[in-house]
Amino acid sequence: METITNSPQETDQLARKIAEKIKPGDVLALYGKLGAGKTTFTKFLVKSLGFEDRVQSPTFIVARVYNKNSPSLARVNHLDLYRLQEGKEVEDLGIKEYFDELNSITIIEWPEIAENYLPRKTIKIRFTELGENKRKISVQNLH
Ligand code: ADP
Ligand code: MG
């Protein structure tokens, strides 16, 4: 599925649609250059999933965890792998454990270095900047 959004609000609408389709246990890998919209999309998605936390880029730490009091979807893990140097760190730092959590949705910015560790069913979302407010967003593996 491929969508062009012409404003952050349109990206919010797309995030809402995706929020309705994803389930606890899902892993989402967000690809795209700096400024493409990965964190913005994550903010909208986390809000649509019913979390009230303030979402900011986890760049200086590898992971932020958002919690809510819900038995079905208790957590969203927001990872940013930009600062990792090699794929092996995904295991060494325990990042891989996030991918296996059944009650969480895990969102990964800069997932390339973890490519070999991503679950086979990972939902892959690619962001391309087409203009100041225009983004191409393609979604793969969303059922
Ligand atoms: P990334 O996390 O990919 O580095 P950010 O989400 O931090 O990118 O930054 C994207 C920037 O682009 C934000 O300032 C956002 O407001 C802006 N923007 C403009 N148009 C859009 C759009 N259509 N969708 C998402 N973000 C957009
Ligand atoms: Mg970001």
Side-chain angles (χ1 to χ4, degrees):
M1 178 181 80
E2 189 173 293
T3 308
I4 306 271
T5 68
N6 292 293
S7 63
Q9 290 86 335
E10 287 184 19
T11 297
D12 188 6
Q13 287 166 15
L14 178 67
R16 281 168 207 244
K17 285 188 202 154
I18 292 175
E20 284 171 13
K21 294 190 179 174
I22 56 180
K23 311 173 295 308
D26 282 347
V27 174
L28 288 79
L30 311 187
Y31 300 83
K33 294 179 181 163
L34 194 70
K38 302 178 297 297
T39 301
T40 301
F41 173 84
T42 302
K43 281 181 194 171
F44 294 138
L45 188 68
V46 169
K47 179 163 55 83
S48 294
L49 291 169
F51 291 78
E52 287 164 8
D53 310 66
R54 180 164 157 255
V55 172
Q56 49 190 126
S57 177
T59 301
F60 295 100
I61 49 165
V62 171
R64 281 181 196 279
V65 176
Y66 311 113
N67 291 286
K68 74 172 172 177
N69 197 357
S70 157
S72 55
L73 176 59
R75 312 192 341 167
V76 169
N77 305 310
H78 181 194
L79 313 186
D80 188 322
L81 306 185
Y82 188 75
R83 290 159 69 83
L84 296 198
Q85 306 279 354
E86 48 173 343
K88 199 168 162 293
E89 288 175 275
V90 173
E91 274 179 317
D92 295 348
L93 302 176
I95 294 165
K96 201 170 163 292
E97 320 297 318
Y98 288 110
F99 306 162
D100 302 325
E101 287 185 7
L102 296 176
N103 291 333
S104 307
I105 283 173
T106 296
I107 304 170
I108 314 165
E109 295 190 46
W110 302 103
E112 287 86 348
I113 201 153
E115 199 62 50
N116 293 338
Y117 298 92
L118 296 178
R120 205 160 34 83
K121 61 179 185 111
T122 297
I123 297 161
K124 298 188 172 183
I125 308 183
R126 295 189 168 78
F127 297 79
T128 312
E129 188 171 350
L130 299 179
E132 195 183 346
N133 295 310
K134 194 168 176 172
R135 302 289 185 274
K136 183 173 84 179
I137 304 174
S138 42
V139 183
Q140 191 188 328
N141 276 349
L142 182 67
H143 298 295

